[in-house]
Amino acid sequence: MRIIKAAVLMGAAAMLSWAPARADIVPPFKGNDTGGIISYELAQRVDARQLAVEHCASYGKVAKFLAVDAQYGGYVSFACRWVPYGASQRPLRTLY
């Protein structure tokens, strides 16, 4: 019985050693109802403002850009905020 368990353990270890770790894969666009991040490479290819506005609009909020890390592997971060009644800021509107 020990030999069978050892063989199964060795087989499982061999199978896991062939699989990639996949710890470095991050989606180019990720967010929730409080905000999100857009990879800098994606932001150079598409309109990052439009992505953020559409994402926040799906929650009934407006986008506020926070920071840009303009380097390889960097991100554009944004927050989704409520626009209070009577605020001087108007929601950003984009054309489809």
Side-chain angles (χ1 to χ4, degrees):
M1 189 67 174
R2 285 186 188 177
I3 295 173
I4 294 174
K5 286 183 182 179
V8 169
L9 183 61
M10 293 293 282
M15 286 180 11
L16 289 176
S17 69
W18 287 76
R22 302 186 68 96
D24 60 344
I25 296 177
V26 178
F29 179 81
K30 187 174 185 176
N32 56 19
D33 64 330
T34 61
I37 56 174
I38 304 168
S39 70
Y40 188 67
E41 288 78 22
L42 179 63
Q44 289 179 332
R45 288 185 278 135
V46 299
D47 187 9
R49 183 180 303 160
Q50 183 70 29
L51 284 175
V53 167
E54 288 176 0
H55 174 77
C56 292
S58 68
Y59 295 104
K61 297 181 178 182
V62 295
K64 178 182 180 184
F65 285 89
L66 301 175
V68 176
D69 186 16
Q71 64 180 354
Y72 179 76
Y75 283 94
V76 176
S77 61
F78 64 94
C80 296
R81 303 183 337 158
W82 295 108
V83 176
Y85 293 112
S88 61
Q89 294 178 339
R90 300 299 304 159
L92 179 63
R93 295 184 182 262
T94 59
L95 301 174
Y96 291 98

